[in-house]
Amino acid sequence: MNTKQMTYLIETAKTLNLSRAAENLYISQPSLSYQIKVIEEEIGFLIFERIGKSIRLTPAGEELIVSIQRISKELQFSIEQAQNMGQQYSNSIKIGFPARSTLFYLPKAIALFEEKQPTVQIVPEIQPQNDYVNAFLKKELDMILLPKEEAEKLSSVRIHPLYMSYIYLLCQKTDKLAQKKLIKMQDLAERTLLVNGGSSQTLRQVQQRVIANVPIHYYNSPTHDFTLIQVESGKAICLSPGYLNDHSEQFAWIPFDCPEVFNYVLVTHEDNHTPSIKVLINLLRQLYQSSHLPL
């Protein structure tokens, strides 16, 4: 199966209409039908079921399309990065992390890095942690950001300390709690606290301790973005690690009195001694060490 055939399948699966898919692909319907038949004969199973004039994906076809869509996106990304490399860069450093705010100083580090290493491209890969760890283990990434306890589980790596992040109460700036310099557990009495939302084990531990010791209302939040919307609406407050602060000053972030902290490190492959990686790590460390922003 070639890339053009993959495009044919993705478009047909999207429209579930051969005529419309053919029109969108600028080919004739008979040509599209023929190409689908050729692919099905090649792979040995039906991708689409024909029901009168309609079509629908078979269960095997649904699974295939999901994989093809992922492969197509990865291929397009690879082509674009290769084009960038060919035009300006001779090498690259691919770094994986879970959210933009967790490496808040990366853009500034990139600008400083390019002054020192103009032929090396920094490629950010923002993905769920499990995804970028797996990519790193396959050596598809050169560097990743992890909590120290997770990094220590990996073998054949180098661990580079980067920053410590603390827990904060997140609320509206007009909230009376926003006037405090430090939030204690009892300050949350009779308030509504959002919990979970993809929280780490460390944060869930703090949330559960509050719920167990303070008369408080709480409900589950599916994601951090959902949590932010609820806080902005005034319906609730939340506890959040400082590394999720985008420093937009939209909310009040007040330090929360608890012993838990998040120790984040950069992880590189033990056998990778590329000088440019050391340059990037040193720049990031310098930026975090000299930062006055709350973490």
Side-chain angles (χ1 to χ4, degrees):
M1 188 189 310
N2 58 41
T3 55
K4 184 173 287 187
Q5 289 173 321
M6 289 168 59
T7 302
Y8 291 164
L9 291 182
I10 291 170
E11 185 61 33
T12 305
K14 183 169 69 175
T15 62
L16 290 178
N17 184 299
L18 286 169
S19 297
R20 192 177 307 135
E23 183 179 343
N24 293 344
L25 292 164
Y26 301 103
I27 63 173
S28 68
Q29 182 179 328
S31 294
L32 177 59
S33 297
Y34 173 75
Q35 287 295 328
I36 292 172
K37 182 180 178 182
V38 169
I39 297 167
E40 290 177 332
E41 289 176 352
E42 178 188 339
I43 62 179
F45 59 84
L46 289 177
I47 303 169
F48 299 98
E49 291 179 317
R50 282 73 172 174
I51 307 170
K53 294 183 178 180
S54 301
I55 61 171
R56 68 183 178 188
L57 284 162
T58 64
E62 288 182 359
E63 187 168 339
L64 177 66
I65 292 299
V66 169
S67 297
I68 287 175
Q69 287 174 326
R70 174 177 49 79
I71 292 168
S72 180
K73 288 179 182 177
E74 290 176 355
L75 179 60
Q76 183 60 35
F77 178 79
S78 297
I79 291 170
E80 290 171 355
Q81 293 306 313
Q83 288 171 338
N84 289 341
M85 288 284 290
Q87 292 171 4
Q88 181 177 351
Y89 302 103
S90 61
N91 206 344
S92 67
I93 299 173
K94 295 181 180 179
I95 176 168
F97 52 103
R100 179 181 176 276
S101 60
T102 56
L103 267 181
F104 182 79
Y105 285 109
L106 182 60
K108 190 169 184 179
I110 289 174
L112 294 170
F113 178 87
E114 290 206 345
E115 293 177 6
K116 299 173 180 290
Q117 303 276 329
T119 62
V120 181
Q121 181 187 28
I122 307 300
V123 183
E125 297 264 0
I126 300 178
Q127 308 171 13
Q129 182 172 305
N130 286 342
D131 291 351
Y132 69 74
V133 170
N134 288 334
F136 176 77
L137 294 175
K138 295 175 185 176
K139 295 202 170 181
E140 295 170 0
L141 297 176
D142 303 295
M143 184 190 308
I144 54 176
L145 180 75
L146 279 179
K148 184 180 179 182
E149 63 270 20
E150 295 298 322
E152 290 174 340
K153 296 176 184 177
L154 304 179
S155 59
S156 301
V157 300
R158 294 180 185 274
I159 295 175
H160 314 270
L162 187 60
Y163 64 76
M164 301 285 286
S165 182
Y166 302 88
I167 294 178
Y168 294 78
L169 176 78
L170 179 56
C171 65
Q172 289 185 326
K173 286 188 169 183
T174 55
D175 194 302
K176 63 181 181 180
L177 291 175
Q179 307 305 314
K180 292 182 173 289
K181 300 295 184 183
L182 179 69
I183 299 293
K184 295 185 177 292
M185 197 184 311
Q186 293 302 321
D187 294 327
L188 307 184
E190 306 305 331
R191 300 298 300 267
T192 298
L193 182 71
L194 287 154
V195 299
N196 295 327
S199 300
S200 66
Q201 183 177 350
T202 300
L203 183 56
R204 286 198 297 271
Q205 177 179 306
V206 177
Q207 293 168 343
Q208 292 305 314
R209 188 165 67 243
V210 171
I211 291 168
N213 289 279
V214 177
I216 194 169
H217 310 287
Y218 70 92
Y219 65 95
N220 290 311
S221 167
T223 66
H224 184 66
D225 286 333
F226 179 91
T227 295
L228 294 182
I229 291 171
Q230 299 304 312
V231 172
E232 187 174 5
S233 73
K235 291 183 64 176
I237 55 177
C238 78
L239 296 171
S240 177
Y243 62 75
L244 290 178
N245 189 344
D246 64 3
H247 306 290
S248 64
E249 300 187 357
Q250 182 179 5
F251 302 104
W253 291 72
I254 312 101
F256 184 69
D257 186 20
C258 68
E260 286 81 1
V261 297
F262 300 87
N263 187 355
Y264 266 86
V265 299
L266 292 169
V267 184
T268 58
H269 297 286
E270 190 174 47
D271 58 358
N272 190 338
H273 303 287
T274 308
S276 56
I277 287 183
K278 185 176 181 181
V279 172
L280 178 59
I281 290 171
N282 287 339
L283 285 171
L284 283 166
R285 280 177 161 177
Q286 290 167 17
L287 289 168
Y288 276 99
Q289 288 170 5
S290 62
S291 171
H292 299 294
L293 293 177
L295 283 172

